[in-house]
Amino acid sequence: MIPPFDLFRTEADGTVKWQGVCADLDAAKARVLELSAALPAKYFISSQTTGNRLFIKPDGQSSDRPRGREERFFLPKRILIVEDEASVRKAIRTFIESHSQFDICEAADGNEAIQKADALKPDLVVLDLNLPIANGIEVAARLNGSMPKTPIVIFTLFDNLLGKRLAEILGVAAVVHKSDGVGSLLGRIEALLDAQDALAKQGH
């Protein structure tokens, strides 16, 4: 039997998504109705029973999906891209979304990066160094203090500004030069998140 549990995630637009995993459909319906009393209806996604994928609407109604192997659903990893050039930011986002299942959010300057990181709790941050308002070094220092377990990947043309010692102090997990391309960036992101998952499974 699958033990019931809830997963919540705040989106960039302020909405909250909910996903519940339950072994019993009636329990799933009851949980949806219970939460609907406190949260707007659009916040709810789905529930699952053993062997069946069931999507529960806020009114407690369900729709069956084809029977398949028993599995648990997990929300996709969230990546915060911090880049002041809109065209570069869009190119990074488009490439990553077309080659992965990551959930992408964006920030265009240092202050917005700090605010969104605090609100959205990303699993990884892609950070340019040359940013307005607060530069990448300042942002990395703030994020390392507030969320030290969240990997920071510097994606920049100016990697010479960040020596190895400073990178260690700032908690930077990796530095990727923009000339290496977004494919190299995605490869580093995937490697870091895979390593993080492996450590979590080991209980670290």
Side-chain angles (χ1 to χ4, degrees):
M1 300 293 284
I2 302 176
F5 63 89
D6 296 321
L7 296 171
F8 295 92
R9 187 177 72 192
T10 305
E11 298 300 293
D13 62 2
T15 62
V16 176
K17 288 186 177 179
W18 170 81
Q19 180 173 294
V21 179
C22 296
D24 180 78
L25 176 57
D26 290 334
K29 289 182 178 180
R31 183 59 176 156
V32 170
L33 293 173
E34 177 186 348
L35 292 172
S36 294
L39 298 173
K42 64 181 179 181
Y43 286 8
F44 301 103
I45 303 177
S46 65
S47 296
Q48 178 189 316
T49 63
T50 302
N52 285 292
R53 189 169 182 175
L54 296 163
F55 288 77
I56 312 300
K57 301 176 183 179
D59 61 2
Q61 298 299 308
S62 65
S63 60
D64 294 326
R65 294 301 174 95
R67 181 177 296 274
R69 64 182 177 83
E70 184 176 308
E71 61 180 348
R72 296 187 183 185
F73 297 109
F74 295 94
L75 297 176
K77 298 285 187 179
R78 169 172 288 165
I79 310 296
L80 173 61
I81 299 171
V82 187
E83 166 63 55
D84 62 319
E85 294 289 341
S87 59
V88 176
R89 197 169 61 246
K90 181 180 179 181
I92 296 171
R93 177 171 195 154
T94 300
F95 184 90
I96 292 178
E97 287 183 334
S98 65
H99 291 80
S100 74
Q101 298 297 315
F102 294 132
D103 177 31
I104 306 298
C105 49
E106 305 175 20
D109 61 59
N111 278 0
E112 185 181 15
I114 293 168
Q115 293 170 1
K116 285 196 171 181
D118 181 62
L120 302 178
K121 301 296 187 291
D123 297 287
L124 182 144
V125 178
V126 174
L127 180 63
D128 187 18
L129 288 180
N130 188 23
L131 296 170
I133 305 179
N135 64 43
I137 291 176
E138 294 174 296
V139 173
R142 288 284 298 273
L143 298 185
N144 187 43
S146 62
M147 48 184 67
K149 293 185 179 181
T150 302
I152 298 173
V153 178
I154 301 297
F155 191 52
T156 181
L157 289 172
F158 307 102
D159 55 338
N160 59 305
L161 299 177
L162 191 67
K164 182 178 180 180
R165 179 56 182 159
L166 180 56
E168 291 175 352
I169 292 172
L170 296 175
V172 172
V175 179
V176 179
H177 197 279
K178 285 183 177 178
S179 64
D180 292 336
V182 185
S184 294
L185 173 64
L186 178 57
R188 192 62 60 90
I189 289 171
E190 291 174 333
L192 286 168
L193 292 177
D194 286 346
Q196 192 176 58
D197 287 342
L199 286 173
K201 289 179 181 179
Q202 294 172 13
H204 292 282

